[in-house]
Amino acid sequence: DGPTGGGGAAAEQTIPSKLVIKLLTYNRPKPLQRLLESLEKAEYDKDTVELEVWIDGPKGGKSSAERDAVIALTRGIEWWHGKLQVNLREANVGLVGNWLGCWKDAPEDGGDWSTVVLVLEDDMEVSPLFWRWLKRMWGHYAHRSDLAGISLQHQHTRGSDGAPTFHVDNGNEPYLYKIPGSWGFSPHPVAWARFLKWHDAKTFQGYEPVDLQFKGKDVITTKWWKQMRRRGKDPKMWTQWYMRFMEDNYLFCLYPNLPMKHGFAASWNEQ
């Protein structure tokens, strides 16, 4: 059987044995330290886990003390589960640029399906059991044609109006939803590769994803985007772009549905 909310095959597949964590950071050393400690405590069952740290470039060409502290912290990382790579960007690309630039070589054919990519922002914290659940989900559902990715977070937001009352009553089984969960997101390689090409083409055309609606009304993320534009701010929402892509291609994000609104990752929502 497949997860609640979509079609496609859900046959048991080979369980992945390799994880690549892409950790996005800039100038928050204390949150980064907390995330690294939670990753070190996780259960990897002797699987290979590569850690890539992506440090955004300095604004105005000059690094800050906080960013320098992040760089110093990454130089002291001891990672025993696989390859460690620290990528220090020269230019500031912002959060969206860091997201879209950290996996530019996603295989459009899916690759060999033995490797999972997970993107984490630095104010996250993960459960010690996140990898056991994530690799099991990819083993079950990697070949679904309607899958955009898998999130580690508990989803509580109702997409139509933003009410924090969203709940799926299905006996705590995973489910599919049309909003991508950015708190611990594992993109489907095929969908992500196609999304990056789509995003490049749309931005070249001058398009912005301000047309996402439900029953003729703007969904909550469209409202947020427009509000930020009216204030003269950059929306900085890669998720809005991905939602538009998901809507156009009939894709869904898979979520855990644990008791007590628990998840396998959570955000501290630090500025």
Side-chain angles (χ1 to χ4, degrees):
D1 297 331
T4 303
E12 180 74 31
Q13 304 294 335
T14 302
I15 301 296
S17 58
K18 180 180 177 181
L19 172 65
V20 178
I21 300 171
K22 296 179 180 286
L23 197 166
L24 311 183
T25 188
Y26 176 46
N27 62 355
R28 301 187 290 194
K30 289 183 179 179
L32 175 60
Q33 179 66 49
R34 182 179 58 224
L35 173 56
L36 289 170
E37 289 174 358
S38 72
L39 287 170
E40 189 57 49
K41 294 175 183 176
E43 300 288 343
Y44 299 114
D45 301 326
K46 298 183 179 180
D47 290 336
T48 298
V49 184
E50 296 184 0
L51 178 61
E52 296 180 11
V53 182
W54 292 82
I55 305 174
D56 201 2
K59 293 181 180 179
K62 185 177 181 181
S63 190
S64 64
E66 291 81 5
R67 182 174 178 272
D68 290 343
V70 165
I71 296 171
L73 176 59
T74 60
R75 287 173 177 164
I77 295 175
E78 294 184 348
W79 187 254
W80 306 107
H81 310 286
K83 180 182 176 182
L84 170 66
Q85 178 180 331
V86 177
N87 302 283
L88 192 61
R89 295 190 184 277
E90 294 183 2
N92 185 272
V93 298
L95 184 59
V96 174
N98 225 0
W99 267 93
L100 302 188
C102 73
W103 196 23
K104 287 188 173 182
D105 59 348
E108 196 166 351
D109 63 355
D112 62 6
W113 304 103
S114 66
T115 300
V116 168
V117 166
L118 175 67
V119 186
L120 296 170
E121 296 178 19
D122 59 8
D123 62 346
M124 302 290 308
E125 192 168 1
V126 297
S127 160
L129 302 178
F130 85 88
W131 173 231
R132 288 182 177 175
W133 180 82
L134 184 60
K135 70 177 181 180
R136 185 163 166 257
M137 292 301 101
W138 276 118
H140 275 287
Y141 303 122
H143 293 276
R144 287 185 66 107
S145 60
D146 59 353
L147 188 61
I150 300 176
S151 177
L152 299 179
Q153 74 172 85
H154 164 75
Q155 180 57 266
H156 59 272
T157 302
R158 193 165 62 193
S160 58
D161 59 6
T165 57
F166 180 77
H167 174 68
V168 175
D169 188 5
N170 68 351
N172 300 123
E173 293 295 321
Y175 64 89
L176 297 171
Y177 193 37
K178 283 199 170 187
I179 295 179
S182 63
W183 296 353
F185 184 62
S186 181
H188 194 291
V190 175
W192 194 254
R194 293 175 180 172
F195 165 67
L196 293 178
K197 291 182 179 179
W198 173 90
H199 178 267
D200 286 347
K202 288 292 187 180
T203 52
F204 181 77
Q205 297 166 5
Y207 168 79
E208 286 196 7
V210 294
D211 50 2
L212 272 170
Q213 295 187 329
F214 179 71
K215 294 184 177 180
K217 297 182 179 180
D218 288 348
V219 298
I220 187 61
T221 52
T222 299
K223 293 177 182 177
W224 292 340
W225 187 288
K226 290 181 177 180
Q227 287 170 0
M228 284 184 272
R229 278 296 185 217
R230 284 195 295 268
R231 296 170 186 164
K233 295 183 178 181
D234 183 348
K236 299 180 181 179
M237 294 170 57
W238 74 268
T239 48
Q240 180 75 353
W241 286 99
Y242 207 48
M243 283 174 65
R244 177 74 269 174
F245 175 78
M246 289 167 62
E247 183 70 16
D248 290 350
N249 292 275
Y250 308 102
L251 301 176
F252 298 84
C253 179
L254 185 131
Y255 285 90
N257 194 17
L258 303 177
M260 305 295 292
K261 300 181 179 180
H262 289 172
F264 292 98
S267 173
W268 287 76
N269 286 322
E270 289 161 314
Q271 299 301 315

